[in-house]
Amino acid sequence: MRTLISLMKDENGATAIEYGLIAALIAVAAITAMTTLGKTLSNTFSTVSVNLTSAR
């Protein structure tokens, strides 16, 4: 009976799940930010390339 009560009070599994969810949220935010930054950089380099080509 004590073992069952001990297992019910144990929060280690819940803490691990919470850390996993936080890590997943950070990963999604990082991927979103990198994708947006990548598109912005691509547009910037394309604009620079066009301006350099037309300056010749």
Side-chain angles (χ1 to χ4, degrees):
M1 189 68 177
R2 289 183 184 169
T3 306
L4 184 60
I5 292 172
S6 173
L7 285 174
M8 290 177 63
K9 290 183 179 180
D10 187 15
E11 295 183 4
N12 287 333
T15 302
I17 291 172
E18 290 169 357
Y19 283 133
L21 290 173
I22 291 169
L25 181 63
I26 290 171
V28 168
I31 290 169
T32 303
M34 289 178 202
T35 301
T36 303
L37 180 63
K39 289 178 183 177
T40 303
L41 282 175
S42 178
N43 291 338
T44 301
F45 284 123
S46 294
T47 303
V48 169
S49 175
V50 168
N51 288 338
L52 286 174
T53 303
S54 64
R56 288 182 180 186

